[in-house]
Every structure is written in C-alpha cells, then in structure tokens.
Amino acid sequence: YDATSDRLLASADGGRAWDVLERPAPLLDFAPSPRDDRQLVATAADLGQGLYESRDGGRSWSPIGGAVGLLAWPRADALYLVDGRGDVRVSADAGRTFGIRGSIGGQPAALIARGEELLVALHDGTIKRSVDGGRTWAVRSTP
C-alpha cells in the first residue's frame, strides 16, 4: 500500500513492475494472512464500511464484517483489530467474527504484532506492550 498516493499496489515479478489495484473503499489498514500471501483483510477508513477480504492478492474484494480499526495478523488463528476507542478485538476466523480481548486505554495510531506480543502507539506518542494477546497492557515508553 502506497499511503503517500493512497494506492494499493501488487507485483508479480519481485518488485520490478507494479500494478495499481482497485481498493474496496478508502483504506485505513490492511493485513496479509500469515498462512496465505494471497489472502488479505482490509478495513475501510470510513465508519460503517467495515472489513473486506481478498483471496487473490487484492485483485477482488468481498465485505466480511462491520469492524473498523488497525489490523495485525501474526497467526492464522489471531487477527487483531484495535478500534478508534482503543478496544482490542481478536478473530480466529479471518475477520468474520471478533471478540473483545482488552483495551489500550486511548486512541491507537499504529499496531504491530508477533505471536501473542502486541505493540501499539497512541496518538500522544505513548507506546504500550501486551504479551498476552491484548488482554493486559503496560506502558513501554512515553514521549
């Protein structure tokens, strides 16, 4: 995703040439499946548009749910979404259903995950870390 020009790009030749792909909506975030690099889940920037799934590397999209937020997909059974209020949600079925896992206590600006470890940046510059899949959070650094 090229955030500077708001384009979704794909390459079939290792990055020598790029195709511009149609987006399902203006995107807030997207995450590739850890199991299949042709499967993507994206969340729309506008409330009410929700989640979309692609099974062909972003060439076509289908709506799959109403959740909106930042995404991280470190394991096949754990697609994380942190919404604008800071609620942490997790899906074991690639975004079709989510359960609330915890709260970061603020509005997220960025999210990354590796296994059960999640790191989130808040808009005020605070970095928080969870080592239990988003159930509990500790401040890692402050501005």
Side-chain angles (χ1 to χ4, degrees):
Y1 180 70
D2 175 7
T4 303
S5 60
D6 192 29
R7 299 181 307 165
L8 186 60
L9 305 168
S11 176
D13 62 5
R16 288 186 292 279
W18 294 89
D19 295 323
V20 178
L21 305 177
E22 289 294 320
R23 298 166 299 141
L27 298 182
L28 173 64
D29 201 6
F30 76 95
S33 166
R35 210 183 270 171
D36 177 1
D37 62 1
R38 308 230 353 115
Q39 183 181 14
L40 307 167
V41 171
T43 182
D46 296 328
L47 290 175
Q49 289 183 315
L51 288 171
Y52 295 88
E53 176 187 49
S54 174
R55 292 189 172 265
D56 59 6
R59 288 177 174 25
S60 65
W61 296 89
S62 301
I64 60 170
V68 173
L70 299 179
L71 299 168
W73 201 353
R75 297 188 332 259
D77 66 342
L79 171 62
Y80 293 99
L81 182 142
V82 179
D83 68 21
R85 290 186 311 266
D87 290 333
V88 179
R89 301 169 187 274
V90 66
S91 173
D93 58 7
R96 283 160 185 74
T97 60
F98 282 90
I100 293 185
R101 178 66 62 93
S103 177
I104 63 170
Q107 186 178 19
L111 170 68
I112 59 171
R114 183 179 66 198
E116 288 270 307
E117 180 183 27
L118 299 137
L119 293 165
V120 66
L122 302 181
H123 279 278
D124 69 0
T126 301
I127 305 294
K128 290 188 170 184
R129 178 179 180 230
S130 172
V131 294
D132 59 6
R135 287 178 186 85
T136 61
W137 293 85
V139 173
R140 177 93 183 227
S141 68
T142 57

